[in-house]
Structure formats: C-alpha cells, structure tokens
Amino acid sequence: MRRLNALAFAFLFSVSGSQGFTADPIEPTGPVEMIQGQFAFTEGPAWDSASKSLFFSDIPNASIHRFTDDKKLIVFTDDSKHTNGMVVAADGRLLACQMDGSVVSYDSKSGAVTVIADEYEGERFNAPNDLVIDSVGGIYFTDPLFRAPTPLPQTVQAVYYVTTAGTVTRVTGAIEAPNGIGLSPDEKSLYVIPSGQSQMLVYNVDVPGKLSSGRTLCTLAQPDGETKTGGDGMVLDIQGNLYITTNLGVQIFSPTGDARGIIEFPEQPANVTFGGPELKTLYATARTGLYQVPMPIAGLPSK
C-alpha cells in the first residue's frame, strides 16, 4: 500500500488525458489500516453515531456486520437479501438496498425489517444498489443490473426517489450501471456514480425528488490501457468534496469536479463512509477486507 503524492497524481492525470491536477490535494493524516479481513465481498459501510459503531455488508454471504466501539464484530443479520449500500438515518434507522429487489429499513437495535419500496409501476426493481436520504426524509437510490433477473424487470437502469409516504418516482433516464449516489451539503446537487463509464454525473435538485440538467461532473483517472472504467461507491465531506471508489483507489474531487487526490488501498475499494468521534475516519469496504484511514476533513453527517 502507498499513497500518491500531488506530483504523482498530477502525472497520472496528465497521461490519462484528464483535465489535470487543478486543486490543492486532500491527503490522509495517517496510514491505511486493515480492521478485519477474510470476508467474501464487503460493501455498504454506514456509521451509526449514536452507538459509535459501523455497519457493513458481506454480499455473497447475505450478511450485515456491526463493528462496535469496543472493537467487537457482531453479525447483525445473516439474511440480508444480499444487502449492498446502507446509511444510518438521523432517527437511528438503518436504511438498506437489498439487491434481491427492495429498499428496506432495519431497526438498528432489534433488527426488525420494514420494506420501504419494492416495485415501480407494478414491477420489482432490478437490484437496488446504493442510497442517500435527504432532509425531508426522501430516499434517492440507484437500480442497476448487478444480481438482477434477466430480462431486467424495469427494462432500464436508473435512479429512483421514494417519499416518506412511499410514493416512488423514476428521476433519471437510462444510465449505464448507476451505482454510488450522494447529495451536496446544500442538497441542490445529486451525484450519481456509474460503473459503466468514466464520466461521473451530477444533477440539479429542483425540489426533493425532481431533477434537471444532468451533466458530467468529472472524469475518473483510468488504469493503464483503460478508458471506460467507472466508479462504485461514494461519500462526501462537509466541504462538499467527493470520495469515489475506483479501480485505482478512492479518487477525490472538489464540488466543481477538480481532482484533489487518490488514496490507494491493498484491495480495490467498493464503498466508503466517514465515521469516528469527529467523522474524520474514512472507512472503506474493499473486496475481502474492511479498512480505515484518518482524514483532515470531517464527513458529511447523515440526514
């Protein structure tokens, strides 16, 4: 494991044909460390501030784990319906995307599960992947093709919004494997991270659940010889910077799409979140492991 410095990062972007290194770098304040390994495929890290613990999923084993404040690893459920992305809402609910077709809410203490949404226009979702909650309690989530039935039940891969009353709307057109998702601190921008292209997307949020002006925010740096590798998960810090998991590590971009750094991990990261006492620990689920690295800027708290 090593960390790319600003010069190396600038060179990487210049040879990849991107816009170049145009903003001050954001670098870890300490080393990347493994917390636990030997999982099948980790995903969905979600910090619970109330209990000071971290939830994460192991998709192939259909399990959700909880890493507690006293460093114990507890199985939260072994029947997660292949849960992928998760977030702990401000009211304590654990919201989760089950790739078997539903967006659900778990009671973070009892484990009781409630289905929030499982269909659109009479058909099940393809395979809900990742989600973000807004300040009015609505949920945006991505619905790509990973683990989905064929033909796709929804025929397209897109982003959806579900209100607190349970009304579901499709808020984007077709996207090539929409994956990670996030909201800007002012909730005026929705970021969508496709896995099928190198261009990362941003939409204006006109009102909750209504988007416009979809466009490219930034283009990811690419591995040698590649041009279309995309992103996976993402998280934002309180300044609105984006931390996107990619083939090269966690690529960091400013709210305007300027490249600000890459953090490399021993394994390819799938998703990230901020946690810890000051929300300055970046947790990454990376294939068979769970990792942590201290950062200089605090993460954006969940709504």
Side-chain angles (χ1 to χ4, degrees):
M1 183 279 300
R2 61 187 175 84
R3 213 174 23 163
L4 293 184
N5 60 31
L7 180 60
F9 185 59
F11 175 75
L12 175 61
F13 264 62
S14 67
V15 298
S16 69
S18 184
Q19 66 270 38
F21 187 73
T22 55
D24 292 338
I26 297 174
E27 297 184 317
T29 58
V32 172
E33 297 178 329
M34 175 183 276
I35 297 173
Q36 185 79 34
Q38 297 184 334
F39 298 100
F41 191 98
T42 57
E43 251 287 3
W47 177 254
D48 182 6
S49 295
S51 65
K52 298 180 177 59
S53 60
L54 182 79
F55 291 95
F56 66 98
S57 59
D58 186 352
I59 296 175
N61 288 320
S63 57
I64 297 174
H65 298 269
R66 187 175 198 162
F67 184 68
T68 67
D69 187 40
D70 55 359
K71 303 187 185 307
K72 293 181 180 178
L73 193 65
I74 299 169
V75 176
F76 179 72
T77 180
D78 58 5
D79 184 23
S80 76
K81 305 295 190 296
H82 301 102
T83 284
N84 194 323
M86 298 185 290
V87 64
V88 178
D91 62 9
R93 293 176 301 150
L94 176 64
L95 308 178
C97 283
Q98 295 182 340
M99 299 177 79
D100 290 6
S102 302
V103 176
V104 303
S105 170
Y106 287 95
D107 183 303
S108 59
K109 294 182 180 179
S110 70
V113 61
T114 301
V115 174
I116 296 173
D118 58 4
E119 64 176 35
Y120 176 69
E121 295 187 341
E123 299 291 340
R124 66 158 275 181
F125 297 116
N126 299 330
N129 191 286
D130 211 347
L131 75 170
V132 65
I133 187 170
D134 65 18
S135 58
V136 298
I139 299 169
Y140 295 92
F141 65 94
T142 55
D143 188 43
L145 75 169
F146 312 114
R147 294 193 72 95
T150 53
L152 294 179
Q154 288 297 328
T155 71
V156 299
Q157 302 170 64
V159 177
Y160 295 83
Y161 183 79
V162 55
T163 68
T164 54
T167 302
V168 180
T169 54
R170 184 184 290 159
V171 295
T172 70
I175 300 173
E176 192 170 358
N179 203 326
I181 192 166
L183 276 169
S184 61
D186 62 7
E187 298 191 7
K188 293 182 179 180
S189 299
L190 181 79
Y191 303 103
V192 179
I193 308 303
S195 292
Q197 61 189 50
S198 59
Q199 295 79 24
M200 303 296 99
L201 306 177
V202 60
Y203 296 81
N204 292 343
V205 179
D206 300 327
V207 295
K210 184 175 176 58
L211 309 180
S212 64
S213 302
R215 61 199 182 277
T216 297
L217 171 75
C218 60
T219 300
L220 297 178
Q222 298 290 296
D224 290 342
E226 302 287 346
T227 59
K228 294 184 178 180
T229 66
D232 196 334
M234 70 156 294
V235 72
L236 284 90
D237 66 26
I238 57 174
Q239 296 179 3
N241 298 297
L242 286 71
Y243 299 68
I244 303 172
T245 58
T246 74
N247 292 46
L248 297 176
V250 175
Q251 298 191 34
I252 308 172
F253 292 89
S254 75
T256 55
D258 297 320
R260 300 197 66 181
I262 298 180
I263 307 169
E264 292 188 339
F265 289 81
E267 302 178 81
Q268 182 178 327
N271 214 334
V272 283
T273 197
F274 280 97
E278 299 179 332
L279 294 184
K280 286 188 176 181
T281 299
L282 187 69
Y283 291 100
T285 49
R287 298 312 190 256
T288 65
L290 173 66
Y291 296 85
Q292 64 181 13
V293 57
M295 300 299 296
I297 305 171
L300 187 66
S302 297
K303 302 294 189 298

